[in-house]
């Protein structure tokens, strides 16, 4: 039998590797998910089975069909709820769709839910969210005057970096989300949303602070998008807040002018 010290060392190692919370009372063998074992006592309500669609093309086609069929935000949320093609949903507690006012002029897109967001089913409600709230307050905005979502709708386990497949599976829903909200400005916080939506490969420190047009075939016009630094990064690197401040000032100026900064003379 393992000694207490060995178990504690293993636990410390897991926490350092990012597995910083227990998601259930007992350990689950995810590889045996489909074994025909009856649910044990205290089993959670059944989650959708693991993705049936095995080819990426089929997953993407299904995501596009579902997203395109959504005529409003409630339908888009329901479509995501029925979508089985993003593996992240099988380890997540909640779908994290959006918060704020969908009629707002600014739509903020982050990377993906963390532990607190996964628990509450709302974006940016953990430590990063508290910093985001303070950042928005600096330019006279709050959660009732912006609309907030992410480019992933489920939490990557342990907050690991999302895979290309996970991002691609969510992208048709993100694109439809932007189309339906039709904001005047996009504020893309972090490298993942900036690169995913603007089709760029540079790091966020190169992309930030530079307006770019987000355009998608279904949209009547391009939307000016400003990449900026993610609050989680700012919590680790507070010295970089001055760059985020410059971006917030640029966003505020654009909101006040009501004009596309890329077209304004
Ligand atoms: N980080 C994100 O990118 N999104 C959230 O919703 C929370 C933390």
């Amino acid at each position: 039998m393992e000694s207490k010290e060995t178990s504690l060392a293993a636990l410390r190692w897991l926490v350092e590797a990012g597995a910083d919370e227990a998601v259930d009372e007992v350990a689950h063998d995810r590889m045996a998910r489909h074994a025909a074992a009856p649910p044990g006592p205290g089993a959670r309500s059944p989650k959708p089975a693991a993705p049936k669609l095995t080819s990426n093309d089929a997953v993407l086609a299904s995501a596009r069909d579902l997203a395109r069929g959504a005529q409003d935000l409630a339908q888009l949320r329901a479509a995501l709820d029925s979508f089985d093609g993003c593996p992240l949903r099988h380890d997540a507690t909640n779908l994290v769709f959006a918060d704020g006012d969908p009629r707002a002029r600014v739509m903020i897109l982050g990377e993906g839910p963390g532990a607190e967001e996964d628990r509450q089913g709302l974006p940016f409600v953990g430590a990063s969210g508290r910093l985001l709230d303070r950042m928005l307050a600096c330019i006279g905005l709050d959660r009732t005057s912006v609309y907030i979502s992410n480019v992933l709708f489920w939490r990557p386990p342990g907050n690991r970096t999302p895979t290309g497949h996970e991002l691609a599976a969510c992208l048709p829903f993100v694109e439809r989300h932007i189309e339906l909200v039709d904001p005047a400005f996009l504020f893309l916080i972090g490298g993942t949303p900036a690169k995913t939506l603007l089709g760029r490969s540079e790091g966020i420190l190169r992309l930030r602070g530079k307006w770019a047009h987000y355009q998608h075939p279904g949209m009547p016009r391009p939307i000016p998008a400003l990449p900026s630094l993610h609050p989680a990064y700012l919590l680790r690197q507070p010295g970089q807040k001055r760059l985020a401040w410059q971006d917030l000032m640029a966003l505020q100026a654009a909101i006040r002018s009501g004009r596309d900064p890329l077209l304004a003379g």
Side-chain angles (χ1 to χ4, degrees):
M1 195 160 155
E2 284 185 356
S3 71
K4 190 171 150 195
E5 286 68 30
T6 314
S7 303
L8 279 173
L11 195 56
R12 267 194 291 274
W13 182 85
L14 281 168
V15 170
E16 276 160 23
D20 54 0
E21 63 173 325
V23 293
D24 215 335
E25 312 236 317
V26 290
H28 296 279
D29 181 354
R30 303 282 176 201
M31 306 304 284
R33 187 190 293 282
H34 298 297
R44 292 177 158 198
S45 59
K47 291 196 173 181
K52 287 182 203 64
L53 301 166
T54 48
S55 121
N56 281 3
D57 285 352
V59 169
L60 294 186
S62 151
R64 279 194 213 107
D65 284 351
L66 281 166
R68 246 187 245 135
Q71 299 307 313
D72 59 31
L73 294 176
Q75 286 182 13
L76 186 67
R77 191 192 174 110
L80 269 166
D81 242 335
S82 72
F83 176 57
D84 207 17
C86 180
L88 291 177
R89 71 170 296 152
H90 302 287
D91 289 304
T93 307
N94 280 301
L95 163 72
V96 177
F97 186 63
D99 195 15
D101 184 353
R103 294 159 307 173
R105 303 176 69 210
V106 180
M107 179 170 184
I108 299 174
L109 285 157
E111 176 173 310
E116 197 50 40
E117 290 77 17
D118 181 50
R119 258 190 292 276
Q120 295 192 36
L122 287 170
F124 283 102
V125 287
S128 304
R130 286 189 286 281
L131 179 54
L132 178 63
D133 287 342
R134 294 208 301 276
M135 290 161 68
L136 293 175
C138 291
I139 55 168
L141 298 175
D142 63 20
R143 269 170 200 263
T144 65
S145 50
V146 295
Y147 186 68
I148 310 178
S149 186
N150 284 302
V151 291
L152 289 171
F153 297 96
W154 297 275
R155 180 195 186 205
N159 298 344
R160 66 160 166 73
T161 304
T163 65
H165 172 66
E166 290 155 358
L167 285 165
C170 290
L171 187 58
F173 297 96
V174 178
E175 290 166 343
R176 187 73 183 133
H177 205 175
I178 298 171
E179 264 169 51
L180 289 170
V181 173
D182 190 23
F185 304 103
L186 285 169
F187 194 49
L188 308 175
I189 45 177
T192 304
K195 289 189 241 182
T196 306
L197 292 172
L198 301 177
R200 303 287 291 265
S201 56
E202 301 97 311
I204 188 62
L205 287 170
R206 276 190 188 278
L207 295 175
R208 65 142 286 276
K210 300 186 186 99
W211 288 96
H213 274 150
Y214 167 77
Q215 173 83 76
H216 185 252
M219 293 178 6
R221 60 181 171 85
I223 300 181
L226 184 63
S228 188
L229 302 175
H230 194 287
Y233 171 75
L234 298 174
L235 287 170
R236 293 192 305 271
Q237 303 282 338
Q240 300 286 55
K241 283 185 185 169
R242 70 189 171 82
L243 298 177
W245 174 253
Q246 290 168 9
D247 301 341
L248 287 166
M249 292 292 105
L251 179 64
Q252 185 182 48
I255 297 169
R256 284 192 175 150
S257 81
R259 309 230 312 265
D260 179 339
L262 289 156
L263 302 180

